Amino acid sequence: MAKAFELTTEMRPSGGGEVAVVRAIGDVDLATSDRLAAELASDACSASAGVVLDLTEVPFMDSSGLRAVLVSIEELDCPLAAIVAPGSAVSRLIDVTEVGPLLASYPTQEEALAALPEIGSHGEEGGK
Amino acid sequence: MAREAVASYARECGAPEEDVKLAVSEAVSNAVVHGFRDRKGGEIGLKAQTQPGCLLITVADNGIGMTPHLKSPGLGLGIALITRVSHEVQFESTVSGTTVSMRFLI
């Protein structure tokens, strides 16, 4: 049974500014990707110095979820880094679609936070 | 629900579960977004069956067929993704619906 989809956003200080840490829990697909897009477009994310999107508790994501993330990267004025568990379904989706260069992803929150200053506001300099 | 059910069946058959889930999700999303975008409701059927050496999954809808949709919520990647993760895929589209037949090696 798939988990109910949940989103939380927490602000945390990082490098002299505040970073929005958005955590998604559950499947991201046609039924839920709009909610993820809306969260990433929220005032909290828009006004932050950077966004870290935690996808480690997303057991499944399809192209609608990927689109929500990539559109957000284009629309945000601040950098976005994703936390993606190696070997996960999200990691596999990024590999299969070859969008790695557009989506900076890291295995841990610490690495994602540390990488934010190096990432352009539209996702250049993708992670691992 | 459909995705989880077919993933469970794929696991039992020895087919690549994650690829099957992704392909089914993309095919069902395509049916919803493209097949039924100008009407309320319709039917989407999902069938999974084993054949010698493979798992055949068919997603069929009674929508308007495959037509371009400029406001698609995907990346235009649905068909490409299905093609990449399945061993073989066939699309049949008419004005009375679309059928996507996907084979996965077992």
Side-chain angles (χ1 to χ4, degrees):
Chain A
M1 189 79 173
K3 283 183 185 175
F5 186 66
E6 290 176 39
L7 284 164
T8 61
T9 299
E10 193 178 314
M11 303 304 293
R12 58 174 288 178
S14 178
E18 280 215 306
V19 169
V21 179
V22 178
R23 176 186 291 176
I25 302 172
D27 291 355
V28 186
D29 57 16
L30 192 61
T32 57
S33 57
D34 282 353
R35 288 174 57 195
L36 176 60
E39 192 74 16
L40 293 172
S42 67
D43 290 345
C45 290
S46 300
S48 68
V51 176
V52 169
L53 174 60
D54 186 344
L55 297 170
T56 56
E57 292 180 78
V58 171
F60 176 81
M61 186 159 88
D62 68 11
S63 65
S64 61
L66 194 57
R67 180 182 192 272
V69 176
L70 295 177
V71 167
S72 299
I73 289 171
E74 277 300 308
E75 293 183 349
L76 281 167
D77 289 328
C78 61
L80 181 149
I83 311 171
V84 176
S88 65
V90 177
S91 173
R92 164 109 173 107
L93 179 67
I94 292 169
D95 288 344
V96 171
T97 53
E98 300 177 356
V99 299
L102 302 174
L103 173 58
S105 59
Y106 302 87
T108 66
Q109 185 176 114
E110 289 66 33
E111 288 170 87
L113 284 167
L116 276 177
E118 308 300 322
I119 302 169
S121 62
H122 297 296
E124 298 88 354
E125 298 296 318
K128 294 176 184 177
Chain B
M1 290 295 172
R3 188 168 65 222
E4 295 303 327
V6 81
S8 171
Y9 186 61
R11 188 165 54 243
E12 287 172 22
C13 299
E17 181 184 347
E18 293 302 326
D19 288 348
V20 169
K21 278 175 76 171
L22 185 55
V24 167
S25 188
E26 297 295 341
V28 172
S29 295
N30 268 343
V32 172
V33 172
H34 297 281
F36 302 128
R37 71 173 188 267
D38 293 328
R39 54 192 255 205
K40 284 186 179 177
E43 289 182 8
I44 299 173
L46 173 64
K47 191 163 85 174
Q49 61 186 113
T50 53
Q51 292 185 339
C54 74
L55 170 64
L56 171 63
I57 296 176
T58 307
V59 176
D61 69 64
N62 64 349
I64 59 170
M66 294 169 76
T67 53
H69 184 191
L70 297 178
K71 292 182 179 173
S72 168
L75 285 168
L77 279 176
I79 291 172
L81 263 175
I82 294 169
T83 304
R84 283 198 178 189
V85 299
S86 62
H87 177 65
E88 191 179 289
V89 62
Q90 283 184 320
F91 299 92
E92 291 175 52
S93 179
T94 70
V95 289
S96 56
T98 299
T99 301
V100 184
S101 304
M102 305 170 283
R103 283 186 168 78
F104 299 86
L105 296 179
I106 56 178

